[in-house]
Amino acid sequence: MCRSIKTLRPPYTEDVTEEDVRAAALQYVRKISGFRAPAAHNAEAFDRAVEAITRASEELLGALQVRGSR
């Protein structure tokens, strides 16, 4: 879907920062909205979406259980 969004779970990335998760959320919102930067009248909705996706992504990453290879 969006090639610039990288996988943020181990073993692909060990040290994921809050900035990494927010950057992925921003890329996702940019992709689905079709806006690199929204117009002033859409900025609040755009920013809310980025924050909601950031929170959902952090929750997902925190809940994932990565099993070792066999």
Side-chain angles (χ1 to χ4, degrees), residues 3 5 17 34 37 44 48 50 53-54 56-57 64 66 68:
R3 293 180 186 165
I5 298 175
T17 66
E44 185 178 339
R48 276 196 320 262
V50 171
I53 293 167
T54 298
S57 298
L64 291 177
V66 179

Side-chain angles (χ1 to χ4, degrees), residues 34-56:
F35 297 118
R36 174 151 173 72
H41 63 278
N42 288 325
E44 185 178 339
F46 189 93
D47 292 342
R48 276 196 320 262
V50 171
E51 292 309 314
I53 293 167
T54 298
R55 286 191 308 272

Side-chain angles (χ1 to χ4, degrees), residues 2 23-47 49-50:
C2 194
L26 178 59
Q27 285 300 106
Y28 178 77
V29 172
R30 285 176 173 168
K31 183 69 171 183
I32 64 169
S33 70
F35 297 118
R36 174 151 173 72
H41 63 278
N42 288 325
E44 185 178 339
F46 189 93
D47 292 342
V50 171

Side-chain angles (χ1 to χ4, degrees), residues 7-14 60-69:
T7 302
L8 296 178
R9 70 163 180 84
Y12 303 99
T13 305
E14 292 299 326
L60 171 65
L61 291 170
L64 291 177
Q65 296 179 15
V66 179
R67 296 181 180 185
S69 59

